[in-house]
Amino acid sequence: MSTLKHLSLLSSPNHYGAHTSLNSTRSSRHWLARCLQIGILGLLAVGMSPALACLDSWQGKEYIELPAGFCQGYADALLGKQGSYEYGGVVCDRREGSYFFLQRFVRYTAQKKAVWKIVQIKPLAKLHKNELALSQGCRQIHQNRQAILAIVREDVNILTTLQAWAIDFPTEALIPLKAKTVICQIEQQPSLLP
Protein backbone atom coordinates (compact mmCIF):
# COMPACT_ATOMS: atom_id res chain seq x y z
CA MET A 1 0.00 0.00 0.00
CA SER A 2 1.30 3.43 -0.84
CA THR A 3 2.55 5.61 1.98
CA LEU A 4 1.02 8.68 0.33
CA LYS A 5 -2.03 10.05 2.09
CA HIS A 6 -5.24 11.06 0.36
CA LEU A 7 -8.47 12.29 1.80
CA SER A 8 -11.59 11.79 -0.19
CA LEU A 9 -14.97 11.60 1.48
CA LEU A 10 -17.89 9.52 0.24
CA SER A 11 -21.39 10.33 1.36
CA SER A 12 -21.80 6.61 2.03
CA PRO A 13 -19.32 3.74 1.68
CA ASN A 14 -21.19 2.03 -1.15
CA HIS A 15 -22.63 5.05 -3.00
CA TYR A 16 -22.60 4.18 -6.71
CA GLY A 17 -20.94 0.91 -5.86
CA ALA A 18 -17.74 2.55 -4.53
CA HIS A 19 -15.68 0.52 -6.97
CA THR A 20 -12.91 -0.52 -4.64
CA SER A 21 -13.05 -4.30 -5.09
CA LEU A 22 -10.66 -5.14 -7.89
CA ASN A 23 -11.32 -8.61 -9.23
CA SER A 24 -12.20 -8.40 -12.92
CA THR A 25 -9.81 -10.94 -14.50
CA ARG A 26 -10.93 -10.85 -18.14
CA SER A 27 -10.89 -7.07 -18.18
CA SER A 28 -7.51 -7.02 -16.41
CA ARG A 29 -5.88 -9.21 -19.05
CA HIS A 30 -7.37 -7.14 -21.89
CA TRP A 31 -6.13 -3.85 -20.41
CA LEU A 32 -2.74 -5.23 -19.48
CA ALA A 33 -2.18 -6.35 -23.07
CA ARG A 34 -3.45 -2.99 -24.37
CA CYS A 35 -1.24 -1.06 -21.93
CA LEU A 36 1.85 -3.04 -22.88
CA GLN A 37 1.17 -2.42 -26.58
CA ILE A 38 0.50 1.28 -26.11
CA GLY A 39 3.45 1.61 -23.70
CA ILE A 40 5.92 0.22 -26.20
CA LEU A 41 4.45 2.23 -29.09
CA GLY A 42 4.30 5.37 -26.94
CA LEU A 43 7.86 4.94 -25.80
CA LEU A 44 9.12 4.44 -29.36
CA ALA A 45 6.98 7.13 -31.00
CA VAL A 46 7.16 10.03 -28.56
CA GLY A 47 9.47 9.04 -25.75
CA MET A 48 6.55 8.47 -23.37
CA SER A 49 7.08 6.05 -20.49
CA PRO A 50 5.17 2.74 -20.72
CA ALA A 51 3.44 3.50 -17.41
CA LEU A 52 2.12 6.86 -18.64
CA ALA A 53 1.11 5.39 -21.99
CA CYS A 54 -0.81 2.73 -20.08
CA LEU A 55 -2.67 5.40 -18.12
CA ASP A 56 -3.46 7.38 -21.27
CA SER A 57 -5.17 4.33 -22.76
CA TRP A 58 -7.81 4.58 -20.03
CA GLN A 59 -9.01 8.06 -21.05
CA GLY A 60 -12.44 7.76 -22.66
CA LYS A 61 -12.85 4.14 -21.52
CA GLU A 62 -15.71 2.72 -19.47
CA TYR A 63 -14.98 0.37 -16.59
CA ILE A 64 -16.60 -1.31 -13.62
CA GLU A 65 -13.45 -2.15 -11.69
CA LEU A 66 -9.84 -1.15 -12.26
CA PRO A 67 -7.51 -4.15 -12.65
CA ALA A 68 -6.00 -5.55 -9.46
CA GLY A 69 -2.72 -3.79 -8.69
CA PHE A 70 -3.35 -0.94 -11.15
CA CYS A 71 -3.41 1.57 -8.27
CA GLN A 72 -1.20 0.78 -5.28
CA GLY A 73 -3.12 3.45 -3.33
CA TYR A 74 -6.71 4.40 -4.12
CA ALA A 75 -9.29 6.96 -2.95
CA ASP A 76 -12.56 7.94 -4.62
CA ALA A 77 -15.32 10.48 -4.11
CA LEU A 78 -18.50 11.76 -5.67
CA LEU A 79 -17.91 15.30 -6.94
CA GLY A 80 -21.26 16.60 -8.16
CA LYS A 81 -23.83 16.74 -10.94
CA GLN A 82 -24.14 18.60 -14.22
CA GLY A 83 -27.53 18.12 -15.83
CA SER A 84 -28.26 14.40 -15.80
CA TYR A 85 -24.59 13.40 -15.33
CA GLU A 86 -23.02 12.47 -12.00
CA TYR A 87 -19.25 12.92 -11.67
CA GLY A 88 -16.70 11.27 -9.44
CA GLY A 89 -12.99 11.45 -8.92
CA VAL A 90 -10.29 8.89 -8.20
CA VAL A 91 -6.80 9.52 -6.85
CA CYS A 92 -4.65 6.62 -8.03
CA ASP A 93 -1.18 6.12 -6.54
CA ARG A 94 1.21 4.26 -8.78
CA ARG A 95 4.91 3.56 -8.46
CA GLU A 96 5.82 6.42 -10.82
CA GLY A 97 3.46 8.97 -9.24
CA SER A 98 -0.12 9.88 -8.42
CA TYR A 99 -2.96 10.64 -10.84
CA PHE A 100 -6.44 12.13 -10.64
CA PHE A 101 -9.16 10.56 -12.81
CA LEU A 102 -12.25 12.66 -13.50
CA GLN A 103 -14.99 10.20 -14.32
CA ARG A 104 -18.65 10.27 -15.35
CA PHE A 105 -21.23 7.78 -14.09
CA VAL A 106 -22.64 5.88 -17.10
CA ARG A 107 -25.09 3.27 -15.77
CA TYR A 108 -25.56 0.29 -13.49
CA THR A 109 -25.00 -3.26 -14.70
CA ALA A 110 -27.65 -5.94 -14.23
CA GLN A 111 -25.65 -6.94 -11.12
CA LYS A 112 -26.09 -3.36 -9.78
CA LYS A 113 -22.42 -2.42 -10.25
CA ALA A 114 -21.55 1.11 -11.32
CA VAL A 115 -20.06 1.70 -14.77
CA TRP A 116 -17.79 4.78 -14.96
CA LYS A 117 -16.15 6.50 -17.92
CA ILE A 118 -12.79 8.20 -17.35
CA VAL A 119 -13.06 11.58 -19.07
CA GLN A 120 -9.85 13.24 -17.86
CA ILE A 121 -6.54 12.04 -16.40
CA LYS A 122 -4.39 14.57 -14.53
CA PRO A 123 -0.86 13.58 -13.46
CA LEU A 124 -0.12 14.98 -9.99
CA ALA A 125 3.29 15.96 -8.69
CA LYS A 126 4.86 13.36 -6.41
CA LEU A 127 3.25 14.01 -3.04
CA HIS A 128 5.44 14.35 0.01
CA LYS A 129 4.73 12.80 3.40
CA ASN A 130 2.67 15.74 4.72
CA GLU A 131 0.75 16.44 1.47
CA LEU A 132 -2.78 15.42 0.52
CA ALA A 133 -4.84 15.38 -2.66
CA LEU A 134 -8.32 16.68 -1.76
CA SER A 135 -11.41 16.53 -3.91
CA GLN A 136 -13.77 17.53 -1.09
CA GLY A 137 -13.70 20.39 1.42
CA CYS A 138 -12.12 23.09 -0.78
CA ARG A 139 -13.57 26.38 -2.01
CA GLN A 140 -12.31 29.31 -4.04
CA ILE A 141 -12.44 32.75 -2.46
CA HIS A 142 -15.22 34.92 -3.98
CA GLN A 143 -16.26 32.17 -6.41
CA ASN A 144 -19.06 29.66 -6.32
CA ARG A 145 -17.37 26.61 -7.84
CA GLN A 146 -19.01 23.21 -7.55
CA ALA A 147 -15.86 21.10 -7.40
CA ILE A 148 -12.16 21.72 -6.80
CA LEU A 149 -9.17 19.39 -6.73
CA ALA A 150 -6.30 20.63 -4.55
CA ILE A 151 -2.89 19.51 -3.40
CA VAL A 152 -2.40 20.74 0.14
CA ARG A 153 0.32 20.59 2.77
CA GLU A 154 -0.89 19.52 6.19
CA ASP A 155 0.65 21.58 8.99
CA VAL A 156 -0.49 21.72 12.61
CA ASN A 157 -4.24 22.56 12.45
CA ILE A 158 -3.95 24.20 9.01
CA LEU A 159 -3.95 23.15 5.35
CA THR A 160 -1.90 25.20 2.91
CA THR A 161 -2.97 24.93 -0.74
CA LEU A 162 -0.01 24.23 -3.03
CA GLN A 163 -1.87 23.62 -6.32
CA ALA A 164 -5.54 23.67 -7.29
CA TRP A 165 -7.84 23.07 -10.23
CA ALA A 166 -11.51 23.82 -10.76
CA ILE A 167 -13.38 20.82 -12.12
CA ASP A 168 -15.53 22.11 -14.97
CA PHE A 169 -18.28 19.55 -15.52
CA PRO A 170 -19.72 20.99 -18.78
CA THR A 171 -16.34 20.69 -20.55
CA GLU A 172 -15.10 17.79 -18.40
CA ALA A 173 -11.83 19.63 -17.85
CA LEU A 174 -9.57 20.71 -15.01
CA ILE A 175 -8.85 24.44 -15.00
CA PRO A 176 -5.75 25.64 -13.10
CA LEU A 177 -6.45 28.03 -10.22
CA LYS A 178 -4.11 30.26 -8.24
CA ALA A 179 -3.33 28.30 -5.08
CA LYS A 180 -3.66 31.39 -2.86
CA THR A 181 -7.34 31.72 -3.91
CA VAL A 182 -8.29 28.23 -2.65
CA ILE A 183 -9.03 27.40 0.98
CA CYS A 184 -9.37 23.79 2.09
CA GLN A 185 -10.44 22.17 5.32
CA ILE A 186 -10.81 18.58 6.36
CA GLU A 187 -14.48 17.90 6.93
CA GLN A 188 -15.04 15.94 10.09
CA GLN A 189 -17.14 12.80 9.81
CA PRO A 190 -20.07 12.63 12.25
CA SER A 191 -19.30 10.51 15.28
CA LEU A 192 -21.70 7.92 16.64
CA LEU A 193 -19.94 7.87 19.97
CA PRO A 194 -21.22 9.99 22.92
Side-chain angles (χ1 to χ4, degrees):
M1 184 67 139
S2 171
T3 57
L4 301 178
K5 297 187 323 184
H6 297 285
L7 180 65
S8 207
L9 304 173
L10 289 173
S11 55
S12 69
N14 295 317
H15 195 70
Y16 283 104
H19 40 275
T20 54
S21 64
L22 305 173
N23 60 10
S24 175
T25 347
R26 195 186 78 168
S27 177
S28 297
R29 278 183 263 142
H30 167 76
W31 284 108
L32 180 59
R34 176 93 171 122
C35 287
L36 290 173
Q37 177 188 14
I38 289 173
I40 293 166
L41 293 176
L43 184 62
L44 295 174
V46 291
M48 185 182 296
S49 75
L52 187 55
C54 177
L55 278 170
D56 286 346
S57 73
W58 281 84
Q59 186 145 339
K61 303 295 184 208
E62 293 181 2
Y63 75 99
I64 297 169
E65 298 170 340
L66 293 171
F70 186 76
C71 300
Q72 286 78 39
Y74 179 96
D76 63 2
L78 294 174
L79 300 175
K81 284 184 91 164
Q82 173 69 37
S84 62
Y85 293 122
E86 182 84 29
Y87 288 89
V90 169
V91 175
C92 173
D93 291 331
R94 293 172 53 86
R95 200 168 286 126
E96 75 277 3
S98 297
Y99 300 87
F100 176 77
F101 301 160
L102 176 61
Q103 54 190 16
R104 181 180 348 114
F105 174 72
V106 178
R107 68 183 174 283
Y108 284 109
T109 66
Q111 296 78 28
K112 306 242 187 278
K113 291 189 175 194
V115 178
W116 293 92
K117 180 177 184 177
I118 297 175
V119 296
Q120 189 70 245
I121 298 173
K122 172 75 177 157
L124 303 174
K126 193 80 165 169
L127 300 179
H128 299 284
K129 184 178 175 181
N130 63 339
E131 294 176 352
L132 306 168
L134 296 178
S135 58
Q136 300 286 310
C138 297
R139 65 179 180 82
Q140 188 177 16
I141 301 169
H142 306 299
Q143 294 289 325
N144 186 17
R145 299 212 185 258
Q146 188 173 0
I148 292 177
L149 169 66
I151 305 298
V152 298
R153 183 178 56 244
E154 187 177 27
D155 297 317
V156 179
N157 297 326
I158 192 165
L159 297 177
T160 304
T161 305
L162 305 174
Q163 290 182 289
W165 300 266
I167 301 171
D168 186 52
F169 297 137
T171 61
E172 297 181 337
L174 287 109
I175 302 165
L177 300 173
K178 291 183 180 177
K180 65 182 180 182
T181 69
V182 175
I183 298 171
C184 297
Q185 61 187 22
I186 297 176
E187 297 174 358
Q188 298 298 319
Q189 293 293 318
S191 175
L192 300 176
L193 301 174

